[in-house]
Amino acid sequence: MKKLIMILVPVLLMTALYAVDFDISGEFRTRAAIYNDSAENDGGHVDSRFNIGFDSQFHKNLSFRVAAEVGDIVWGNGGGAIGTSEAVEITELNFNYKIDAIDANIIVGQQYWMDRMALVMDDYFSGIMLQKQIGDGISTEFAWMKGVEGIKTAKDDYDVFMAHAQLNQDNPVGMYLFFGNDSDIDYSNLSLMPYVALEMGIASVDATAFMDMQMADDTEMGFGAAVKAKLDMDLFELGLDVLMATEHGLTTISPWYQNGLYIYGIGKHHDGLNLYWGTPYEANAELFTSAVGSLRAPLNENVTAFAAMGYLKDMGFEANAGIEYELIPDLMNMSAYGAFGVHDNELNNYILGTSMKLEF
Protein backbone atom coordinates (compact mmCIF):
# COMPACT_ATOMS: atom_id res chain seq x y z
CA MET A 1 0.00 0.00 0.00
CA LYS A 2 2.89 2.40 0.78
CA LYS A 3 4.22 1.81 -2.75
CA LEU A 4 0.84 2.73 -4.23
CA ILE A 5 0.61 5.92 -2.16
CA MET A 6 4.16 6.97 -3.06
CA ILE A 7 3.33 6.59 -6.75
CA LEU A 8 -0.16 8.10 -6.80
CA VAL A 9 0.35 11.17 -4.57
CA PRO A 10 2.76 12.94 -7.00
CA VAL A 11 0.47 12.05 -9.90
CA LEU A 12 -2.56 13.47 -8.09
CA LEU A 13 -0.72 16.66 -7.21
CA MET A 14 0.40 17.09 -10.81
CA THR A 15 -3.06 16.51 -12.25
CA ALA A 16 -4.74 18.74 -9.66
CA LEU A 17 -2.37 21.60 -10.43
CA TYR A 18 -2.34 21.43 -14.20
CA ALA A 19 -5.44 19.59 -15.44
CA VAL A 20 -8.36 21.42 -16.97
CA ASP A 21 -10.68 18.55 -16.01
CA PHE A 22 -10.04 15.82 -13.46
CA ASP A 23 -12.08 12.66 -12.92
CA ILE A 24 -11.85 9.65 -10.59
CA SER A 25 -13.40 6.26 -11.30
CA GLY A 26 -13.02 2.87 -9.71
CA GLU A 27 -14.38 -0.35 -8.29
CA PHE A 28 -14.23 -2.10 -4.93
CA ARG A 29 -15.23 -5.75 -4.87
CA THR A 30 -15.49 -8.30 -2.08
CA ARG A 31 -16.52 -11.88 -2.77
CA ALA A 32 -16.83 -15.13 -0.83
CA ALA A 33 -17.16 -18.68 -2.10
CA ILE A 34 -17.14 -22.27 -0.88
CA TYR A 35 -16.27 -24.95 -3.41
CA ASN A 36 -14.35 -28.12 -4.11
CA ASP A 37 -11.45 -28.65 -6.49
CA SER A 38 -10.77 -31.09 -9.32
CA ALA A 39 -9.91 -33.78 -6.76
CA GLU A 40 -13.16 -33.10 -4.83
CA ASN A 41 -11.34 -31.49 -1.89
CA ASP A 42 -13.61 -29.03 -0.05
CA GLY A 43 -12.59 -25.45 0.76
CA GLY A 44 -13.35 -21.79 0.28
CA HIS A 45 -12.06 -18.26 0.76
CA VAL A 46 -12.98 -14.55 0.84
CA ASP A 47 -11.07 -11.90 -1.09
CA SER A 48 -11.22 -8.20 -1.94
CA ARG A 49 -9.91 -6.05 -4.78
CA PHE A 50 -9.74 -2.30 -5.34
CA ASN A 51 -9.27 -0.56 -8.68
CA ILE A 52 -8.95 3.20 -9.05
CA GLY A 53 -8.32 5.39 -12.09
CA PHE A 54 -7.50 9.07 -12.51
CA ASP A 55 -8.21 10.90 -15.76
CA SER A 56 -7.03 14.42 -16.45
CA GLN A 57 -7.55 16.73 -19.41
CA PHE A 58 -4.55 19.05 -19.75
CA HIS A 59 -5.53 20.45 -23.16
CA LYS A 60 -8.37 19.92 -25.60
CA ASN A 61 -5.99 17.67 -27.53
CA LEU A 62 -4.25 15.95 -24.60
CA SER A 63 -5.45 13.74 -21.75
CA PHE A 64 -3.61 11.54 -19.28
CA ARG A 65 -4.71 8.40 -17.38
CA VAL A 66 -3.22 6.43 -14.52
CA ALA A 67 -4.93 3.48 -12.85
CA ALA A 68 -3.92 1.11 -10.07
CA GLU A 69 -5.10 -2.17 -8.61
CA VAL A 70 -4.76 -3.54 -5.07
CA GLY A 71 -5.57 -7.23 -4.70
CA ASP A 72 -6.88 -9.79 -4.89
CA ILE A 73 -6.38 -9.71 -1.11
CA VAL A 74 -7.34 -13.03 0.48
CA TRP A 75 -8.84 -12.51 3.94
CA GLY A 76 -6.61 -13.98 6.62
CA ASN A 77 -3.37 -13.71 4.67
CA GLY A 78 -1.12 -11.59 6.89
CA GLY A 79 -3.74 -11.19 9.61
CA GLY A 80 -6.05 -8.18 9.65
CA ALA A 81 -3.83 -5.76 7.74
CA ILE A 82 -2.89 -5.36 4.10
CA GLY A 83 0.77 -6.25 4.00
CA THR A 84 3.34 -4.73 1.67
CA SER A 85 3.67 -8.14 0.05
CA GLU A 86 0.16 -7.90 -1.40
CA ALA A 87 -0.12 -7.28 -5.12
CA VAL A 88 -0.14 -3.56 -5.96
CA GLU A 89 -0.01 -2.80 -9.67
CA ILE A 90 -0.15 0.26 -11.88
CA THR A 91 -2.39 -1.16 -14.58
CA GLU A 92 -2.70 1.90 -16.83
CA LEU A 93 -0.30 4.76 -17.48
CA ASN A 94 -0.77 6.58 -20.78
CA PHE A 95 -1.46 9.80 -22.58
CA ASN A 96 -4.03 10.28 -25.34
CA TYR A 97 -3.11 12.92 -27.93
CA LYS A 98 -5.36 14.09 -30.75
CA ILE A 99 -3.40 14.67 -33.95
CA ASP A 100 -5.30 17.43 -35.76
CA ALA A 101 -3.32 16.99 -38.99
CA ILE A 102 -4.75 13.50 -39.61
CA ASP A 103 -7.81 13.75 -37.30
CA ALA A 104 -6.74 10.74 -35.23
CA ASN A 105 -5.94 9.89 -31.61
CA ILE A 106 -2.75 8.22 -30.48
CA ILE A 107 -2.56 6.52 -27.07
CA VAL A 108 0.96 5.82 -25.78
CA GLY A 109 1.83 3.74 -22.72
CA GLN A 110 0.15 1.06 -20.64
CA GLN A 111 -3.51 0.76 -21.63
CA TYR A 112 -6.54 -1.54 -21.72
CA TRP A 113 -8.06 -3.19 -24.79
CA MET A 114 -10.31 -6.10 -25.66
CA ASP A 115 -11.68 -7.61 -28.83
CA ARG A 116 -15.45 -7.87 -29.16
CA MET A 117 -15.77 -11.29 -27.48
CA ALA A 118 -12.48 -11.37 -25.55
CA LEU A 119 -11.41 -14.40 -27.60
CA VAL A 120 -7.88 -13.09 -28.18
CA MET A 121 -7.46 -10.38 -25.57
CA ASP A 122 -9.19 -8.66 -22.66
CA ASP A 123 -6.33 -7.14 -20.68
CA TYR A 124 -3.76 -4.38 -20.29
CA PHE A 125 -0.80 -4.00 -22.63
CA SER A 126 2.23 -1.79 -23.14
CA GLY A 127 2.40 -0.15 -26.52
CA ILE A 128 0.84 2.34 -28.92
CA MET A 129 -2.73 2.56 -30.21
CA LEU A 130 -3.86 4.77 -33.11
CA GLN A 131 -7.60 5.38 -33.44
CA LYS A 132 -9.10 7.07 -36.49
CA GLN A 133 -12.60 7.70 -37.74
CA ILE A 134 -12.89 7.53 -41.54
CA GLY A 135 -15.84 9.67 -42.50
CA ASP A 136 -19.03 8.86 -40.59
CA GLY A 137 -19.02 5.20 -41.52
CA ILE A 138 -15.79 3.50 -40.45
CA SER A 139 -13.92 3.32 -37.13
CA THR A 140 -10.36 1.98 -37.16
CA GLU A 141 -7.73 0.98 -34.62
CA PHE A 142 -4.07 0.11 -35.14
CA ALA A 143 -1.83 -1.09 -32.32
CA TRP A 144 1.64 -2.29 -31.52
CA MET A 145 1.52 -4.42 -28.37
CA LYS A 146 4.81 -5.20 -26.67
CA GLY A 147 4.31 -8.66 -25.23
CA VAL A 148 7.81 -9.50 -23.98
CA GLU A 149 11.04 -7.52 -23.94
CA GLY A 150 13.80 -10.11 -23.67
CA ILE A 151 17.48 -9.31 -23.52
CA LYS A 152 17.66 -5.72 -24.73
CA THR A 153 20.57 -6.37 -27.06
CA ALA A 154 19.13 -9.58 -28.56
CA LYS A 155 16.36 -10.27 -31.06
CA ASP A 156 14.27 -12.34 -28.64
CA ASP A 157 11.15 -10.18 -28.15
CA TYR A 158 7.47 -10.96 -28.55
CA ASP A 159 5.41 -8.35 -30.40
CA VAL A 160 1.83 -8.26 -31.63
CA PHE A 161 0.47 -5.94 -34.31
CA MET A 162 -3.28 -5.43 -34.49
CA ALA A 163 -5.58 -3.73 -37.00
CA HIS A 164 -9.33 -3.35 -36.58
CA ALA A 165 -11.99 -1.77 -38.76
CA GLN A 166 -15.73 -1.53 -38.07
CA LEU A 167 -18.59 -0.22 -40.17
CA ASN A 168 -20.64 2.10 -37.98
CA GLN A 169 -24.25 1.16 -38.60
CA ASP A 170 -27.25 -0.29 -36.78
CA ASN A 171 -25.79 -3.77 -37.27
CA PRO A 172 -22.01 -3.47 -36.72
CA VAL A 173 -19.75 -5.41 -39.07
CA GLY A 174 -16.00 -5.52 -38.62
CA MET A 175 -12.72 -7.36 -38.88
CA TYR A 176 -9.69 -7.87 -36.61
CA LEU A 177 -6.24 -8.76 -37.92
CA PHE A 178 -3.44 -9.88 -35.59
CA PHE A 179 0.16 -10.62 -36.44
CA GLY A 180 2.26 -11.96 -33.60
CA ASN A 181 5.97 -12.66 -33.75
CA ASP A 182 8.03 -14.36 -31.03
CA SER A 183 11.68 -14.07 -32.07
CA ASP A 184 12.86 -16.12 -29.11
CA ILE A 185 11.23 -19.33 -30.36
CA ASP A 186 11.03 -18.38 -34.05
CA TYR A 187 7.23 -18.49 -34.07
CA SER A 188 4.66 -16.21 -35.68
CA ASN A 189 0.93 -16.23 -36.26
CA LEU A 190 -1.57 -14.43 -38.45
CA SER A 191 -5.18 -14.26 -37.27
CA LEU A 192 -8.27 -12.94 -39.06
CA MET A 193 -11.49 -12.43 -37.07
CA PRO A 194 -14.54 -11.05 -38.88
CA TYR A 195 -17.67 -10.35 -36.85
CA VAL A 196 -21.24 -9.18 -37.23
CA ALA A 197 -23.93 -8.14 -34.75
CA LEU A 198 -27.58 -8.30 -35.78
CA GLU A 199 -30.67 -6.88 -34.06
CA MET A 200 -33.94 -8.35 -35.33
CA GLY A 201 -36.81 -7.22 -33.15
CA ILE A 202 -36.78 -9.32 -29.98
CA ALA A 203 -33.81 -11.37 -31.24
CA SER A 204 -30.13 -10.48 -31.44
CA VAL A 205 -27.10 -12.40 -32.67
CA ASP A 206 -23.42 -11.56 -32.16
CA ALA A 207 -21.10 -13.79 -34.19
CA THR A 208 -17.33 -13.90 -34.59
CA ALA A 209 -15.44 -16.29 -36.87
CA PHE A 210 -11.69 -16.84 -36.92
CA MET A 211 -8.92 -18.22 -39.09
CA ASP A 212 -5.49 -18.63 -37.53
CA MET A 213 -2.22 -19.44 -39.32
CA GLN A 214 0.57 -20.62 -36.98
CA MET A 215 4.02 -20.51 -38.52
CA ALA A 216 7.02 -22.28 -36.97
CA ASP A 217 8.90 -25.29 -38.39
CA ASP A 218 5.60 -26.26 -39.99
CA THR A 219 2.55 -24.16 -40.80
CA GLU A 220 -0.72 -25.11 -39.12
CA MET A 221 -4.21 -23.68 -39.65
CA GLY A 222 -7.05 -23.35 -37.18
CA PHE A 223 -10.65 -22.28 -37.77
CA GLY A 224 -13.63 -21.62 -35.55
CA ALA A 225 -16.49 -19.39 -34.50
CA ALA A 226 -18.30 -18.05 -31.44
CA VAL A 227 -21.98 -17.10 -31.47
CA LYS A 228 -23.97 -15.37 -28.74
CA ALA A 229 -27.72 -15.17 -29.36
CA LYS A 230 -30.48 -13.60 -27.23
CA LEU A 231 -34.25 -13.62 -27.31
CA ASP A 232 -35.89 -10.86 -25.23
CA MET A 233 -39.44 -11.84 -24.23
CA ASP A 234 -39.94 -8.86 -21.84
CA LEU A 235 -40.74 -11.13 -18.86
CA PHE A 236 -37.51 -13.05 -19.39
CA GLU A 237 -34.51 -13.29 -21.70
CA LEU A 238 -33.18 -16.47 -23.26
CA GLY A 239 -29.56 -16.80 -24.34
CA LEU A 240 -27.38 -19.23 -26.25
CA ASP A 241 -23.57 -19.32 -26.36
CA VAL A 242 -21.87 -21.62 -28.87
CA LEU A 243 -18.12 -21.91 -29.38
CA MET A 244 -16.34 -24.16 -31.87
CA ALA A 245 -12.67 -24.55 -32.85
CA THR A 246 -11.02 -27.02 -35.18
CA GLU A 247 -7.67 -28.63 -34.43
CA HIS A 248 -4.97 -25.97 -33.68
CA GLY A 249 -7.64 -23.40 -32.82
CA LEU A 250 -6.78 -19.73 -32.29
CA THR A 251 -3.61 -18.00 -31.03
CA THR A 252 -4.46 -15.76 -28.07
CA ILE A 253 -2.74 -12.97 -26.14
CA SER A 254 -4.67 -12.68 -22.86
CA PRO A 255 -8.27 -13.85 -23.41
CA TRP A 256 -11.22 -13.64 -21.03
CA TYR A 257 -14.06 -15.25 -22.97
CA GLN A 258 -17.20 -15.79 -20.85
CA ASN A 259 -19.73 -18.47 -21.74
CA GLY A 260 -22.05 -18.14 -18.73
CA LEU A 261 -20.50 -20.94 -16.65
CA TYR A 262 -18.40 -20.87 -13.46
CA ILE A 263 -16.81 -24.34 -13.23
CA TYR A 264 -16.36 -24.74 -17.00
CA GLY A 265 -15.94 -21.05 -17.75
CA ILE A 266 -15.09 -17.61 -16.37
CA GLY A 267 -18.06 -16.53 -14.26
CA LYS A 268 -19.52 -13.05 -14.25
CA HIS A 269 -19.62 -12.76 -10.46
CA HIS A 270 -16.44 -14.74 -9.71
CA ASP A 271 -13.82 -15.19 -12.41
CA GLY A 272 -11.42 -17.31 -10.35
CA LEU A 273 -13.39 -20.50 -9.71
CA ASN A 274 -13.18 -22.13 -13.14
CA LEU A 275 -11.55 -25.56 -12.86
CA TYR A 276 -11.37 -26.86 -16.41
CA TRP A 277 -11.55 -23.90 -18.80
CA GLY A 278 -7.91 -23.12 -19.65
CA THR A 279 -8.68 -21.60 -23.09
CA PRO A 280 -9.66 -24.93 -24.73
CA TYR A 281 -9.86 -23.35 -28.21
CA GLU A 282 -6.12 -22.57 -28.33
CA ALA A 283 -3.61 -25.21 -29.57
CA ASN A 284 -6.32 -27.86 -29.16
CA ALA A 285 -5.46 -31.31 -30.49
CA GLU A 286 -8.93 -32.00 -31.89
CA LEU A 287 -12.27 -30.34 -32.57
CA PHE A 288 -13.59 -28.43 -29.55
CA THR A 289 -17.24 -27.47 -29.08
CA SER A 290 -19.29 -26.02 -26.26
CA ALA A 291 -22.93 -24.96 -25.97
CA VAL A 292 -24.51 -23.03 -23.09
CA GLY A 293 -28.12 -21.96 -22.69
CA SER A 294 -29.07 -19.20 -20.27
CA LEU A 295 -32.10 -17.49 -18.73
CA ARG A 296 -32.48 -14.06 -17.11
CA ALA A 297 -35.72 -12.87 -15.50
CA PRO A 298 -36.31 -9.63 -13.56
CA LEU A 299 -38.22 -10.36 -10.34
CA ASN A 300 -38.76 -6.70 -9.51
CA GLU A 301 -37.11 -3.33 -10.13
CA ASN A 302 -33.93 -4.26 -8.25
CA VAL A 303 -33.71 -8.06 -8.35
CA THR A 304 -32.91 -10.28 -11.36
CA ALA A 305 -32.70 -14.07 -11.37
CA PHE A 306 -30.38 -15.91 -13.74
CA ALA A 307 -29.50 -19.48 -14.67
CA ALA A 308 -27.31 -21.28 -17.19
CA MET A 309 -26.72 -24.83 -18.32
CA GLY A 310 -24.13 -26.14 -20.75
CA TYR A 311 -21.79 -28.88 -21.95
CA LEU A 312 -18.18 -28.73 -23.16
CA LYS A 313 -16.85 -31.55 -25.35
CA ASP A 314 -14.58 -34.00 -23.50
CA MET A 315 -14.90 -31.91 -20.34
CA GLY A 316 -18.28 -31.91 -18.67
CA PHE A 317 -21.70 -30.50 -17.85
CA GLU A 318 -22.64 -27.58 -15.59
CA ALA A 319 -25.84 -26.01 -14.28
CA ASN A 320 -25.88 -22.79 -12.26
CA ALA A 321 -28.36 -20.24 -10.92
CA GLY A 322 -28.43 -17.10 -8.80
CA ILE A 323 -29.79 -13.62 -8.21
CA GLU A 324 -28.44 -10.11 -8.74
CA TYR A 325 -29.61 -7.36 -6.37
CA GLU A 326 -29.06 -3.66 -7.05
CA LEU A 327 -28.62 -2.15 -3.58
CA ILE A 328 -28.05 1.41 -4.84
CA PRO A 329 -28.85 2.01 -8.53
CA ASP A 330 -25.74 2.55 -10.69
CA LEU A 331 -23.49 2.43 -7.62
CA MET A 332 -23.66 -0.74 -5.49
CA ASN A 333 -24.86 -4.27 -6.20
CA MET A 334 -24.55 -7.78 -4.86
CA SER A 335 -25.13 -11.31 -6.10
CA ALA A 336 -25.57 -14.83 -4.78
CA TYR A 337 -25.16 -17.93 -6.93
CA GLY A 338 -24.48 -21.64 -7.02
CA ALA A 339 -23.16 -24.07 -9.62
CA PHE A 340 -22.89 -27.84 -9.94
CA GLY A 341 -20.75 -29.66 -12.48
CA VAL A 342 -20.19 -33.25 -13.56
CA HIS A 343 -16.92 -33.96 -15.32
CA ASP A 344 -16.70 -36.61 -18.03
CA ASN A 345 -14.51 -38.61 -15.62
CA GLU A 346 -17.50 -38.64 -13.21
CA LEU A 347 -16.02 -36.19 -10.69
CA ASN A 348 -18.61 -33.85 -9.15
CA ASN A 349 -17.86 -30.18 -8.45
CA TYR A 350 -19.84 -27.43 -6.74
CA ILE A 351 -19.66 -23.71 -5.98
CA LEU A 352 -21.70 -21.50 -3.65
CA GLY A 353 -20.78 -17.86 -3.61
CA THR A 354 -21.71 -14.24 -3.08
CA SER A 355 -20.17 -11.00 -4.32
CA MET A 356 -20.63 -7.33 -3.45
CA LYS A 357 -19.41 -4.58 -5.75
CA LEU A 358 -19.15 -0.79 -5.52
CA GLU A 359 -18.61 1.04 -8.82
CA PHE A 360 -18.03 4.77 -9.15
Side-chain angles (χ1 to χ4, degrees), residues 170-241:
D170 292 339
N171 295 314
V173 177
M175 170 83 79
Y176 297 100
L177 183 149
F178 300 92
F179 176 74
N181 184 66
D182 192 331
S183 299
D184 188 42
I185 59 175
D186 194 22
Y187 171 89
S188 59
N189 76 282
L190 181 66
S191 308
L192 290 175
M193 288 204 325
Y195 63 84
V196 60
L198 302 174
E199 296 279 350
M200 302 165 287
I202 62 173
S204 64
V205 177
D206 204 336
T208 297
F210 58 81
M211 179 198 75
D212 192 66
M213 181 184 299
Q214 301 143 27
M215 295 161 283
D217 293 334
D218 298 315
T219 299
E220 308 287 358
M221 294 286 291
F223 300 87
V227 179
K228 295 180 182 291
K230 292 181 180 179
L231 190 64
D232 190 345
M233 306 296 290
D234 286 335
L235 294 178
F236 59 88
E237 180 184 274
L238 297 174
L240 178 65
D241 184 291

Side-chain angles (χ1 to χ4, degrees), residues 10-33:
V11 172
L12 285 172
L13 289 174
M14 179 183 68
T15 54
L17 288 171
Y18 296 105
V20 176
D21 292 311
F22 179 64
D23 187 44
I24 300 176
S25 60
E27 173 191 289
F28 177 70
R29 181 202 68 199
T30 293
R31 59 192 187 184

Side-chain angles (χ1 to χ4, degrees), residues 221-283:
M221 294 286 291
F223 300 87
V227 179
K228 295 180 182 291
K230 292 181 180 179
L231 190 64
D232 190 345
M233 306 296 290
D234 286 335
L235 294 178
F236 59 88
E237 180 184 274
L238 297 174
L240 178 65
D241 184 291
V242 177
L243 177 60
M244 182 199 75
T246 65
E247 182 184 4
H248 306 301
L250 174 67
T251 302
T252 70
I253 304 170
S254 183
W256 214 241
Y257 183 84
Q258 296 188 31
N259 59 6
L261 303 181
Y262 286 83
I263 297 170
Y264 294 96
I266 299 168
K268 176 182 177 182
H269 299 293
H270 199 310
D271 56 10
L273 298 172
N274 54 301
L275 291 177
Y276 307 105
W277 179 247
T279 319
Y281 57 89
E282 180 176 27

